[in-house]
Amino acid sequence: MTSYPLTWLYVPGDRPHVVAKALAAGADVVVIDLEDAVAPDRKEYARAATAERLGEPQPVPVHVRVNALDGPWAAADLTALATLPGVSGLRLPKVTSPGQIRQVAVATPVPLYALLESALGIEHAFAIATAHPSLRGVSLGEADLRADLGVRADAGLDWPRSRVVVAARAAGLAPPPQSVHPDIRDLDGLATSCARGRILGFLGRAAIHPRQLPVIERAYLPTSAEIEAAETIIKAAATNEGAQALPDGRFVDAAVVAAAQRTLSLGRSR
């Protein structure tokens, strides 16, 4: 089974010393941000500093969130970063159409990841997810999406969240990670939100501070009870390939076995 990242740590591209710390923080993927975390008058510096850092391979996978594709900085971002040996992926913000993905993909050899941050992006989720083989993932940018939809409560995002999960899986992509939890002190709230995200079908989460990483990992790794239950299912399936009921009443068929295999694969990945 494929092993997927669980933690994606965002770090501002105009703070090289913070980038260096992030690379050693234990995240599965570090995302250097050239977009929202960088002021307009720091864009060129952030791009140059990021290009310098990623001119050689890095100790962990590093993605770069470039600036919005319809803005004044994205073209220079893509030109400067797309072929650097330290870049493992490019995250494209505010994507609204499959054409944007195709336009970047034909000029860029790096794996691409689309961020859906508007009602239009959500409406086109499956078309975007299937736009080009270079696209490896889709996820939400919830701060912008909240503003676009006028959502006042967290539950108002449940439908867009499910929509992007379904679009990703229908396209054969990895389950999307959750968007960031903006309060870095609210670790209990983060854990509760991650539990809700896991129910909805997300896998892992973006973070904006290293202290969030262990909370996310604990939330998304299977518990010992879940691993034990999965092992029981796999053993039962090994002795009887057809559908069956376990002594405790659980029904086992091919779909249940596949889910158990995913659970064990995720547990073994850590």
Side-chain angles (χ1 to χ4, degrees):
M1 300 291 291
T2 302
S3 176
Y4 298 120
L6 293 183
T7 52
W8 312 69
L9 180 59
Y10 274 81
V11 60
D14 63 340
R15 300 175 67 185
H17 65 290
V18 180
V19 173
K21 291 180 179 179
L23 292 169
D28 294 328
V29 179
V30 170
V31 183
I32 300 178
D33 189 11
L34 303 183
E35 194 212 12
D36 287 344
V38 178
D41 63 352
R42 299 275 288 175
K43 297 289 187 183
E44 291 187 8
Y45 172 72
R47 182 190 307 122
T50 300
E52 181 178 359
R53 161 67 66 176
L54 301 182
E56 58 186 19
Q58 299 299 305
V60 297
V62 176
H63 292 190
V64 180
R65 179 165 73 171
V66 299
N67 284 284
L69 298 177
D70 59 356
W73 299 293
D77 292 344
L78 295 170
T79 298
L81 300 166
T83 60
L84 296 180
V87 177
S88 298
L90 293 174
R91 303 186 74 78
L92 309 179
K94 299 177 176 60
V95 175
T96 58
S97 73
Q100 292 175 300
I101 302 299
R102 289 191 286 267
Q103 184 177 3
V104 174
V106 296
T108 304
V110 180
L112 303 176
Y113 297 79
L115 295 170
L116 311 183
E117 306 183 60
S118 65
L120 185 59
I122 296 300
E123 280 297 297
H124 293 163
F126 180 68
I128 291 168
T130 55
H132 194 275
S134 292
L135 188 77
R136 306 295 172 80
V138 293
S139 57
L140 292 177
E142 291 189 358
D144 283 81
L145 185 59
R146 283 177 187 273
D148 192 35
L149 297 177
V151 167
R152 294 174 178 238
D154 193 66
L157 291 179
D158 279 357
W159 186 86
R161 289 166 176 162
S162 292
R163 174 82 167 115
V164 76
V165 169
V166 171
R169 301 307 291 142
L173 301 175
Q178 280 184 276
S179 186
V180 299
H181 186 71
D183 188 341
I184 63 173
R185 298 166 296 179
D186 181 22
L187 298 184
D188 289 339
L190 172 62
T192 299
S193 177
C194 287
R196 176 64 176 161
R198 191 178 180 199
I199 289 171
L200 291 174
F202 289 96
L203 182 61
R205 188 163 200 165
I208 53 176
H209 194 282
R211 71 177 58 148
Q212 296 178 316
L213 301 178
V215 177
I216 295 168
E217 187 165 291
R218 280 196 304 270
Y220 275 99
L221 284 177
T223 65
S224 57
E226 289 170 334
I227 290 174
E228 182 178 353
E231 290 173 340
T232 300
I233 291 169
I234 297 300
K235 288 177 182 177
T239 60
N240 186 346
E241 294 184 357
Q244 59 181 300
L246 298 179
D248 63 5
R250 284 178 294 162
F251 183 76
V252 176
D253 63 7
V256 173
V257 172
Q261 289 171 334
R262 287 195 296 271
T263 295
L264 294 180
S265 176
L266 187 57
R268 291 166 182 159
S269 70
R270 291 298 192 274

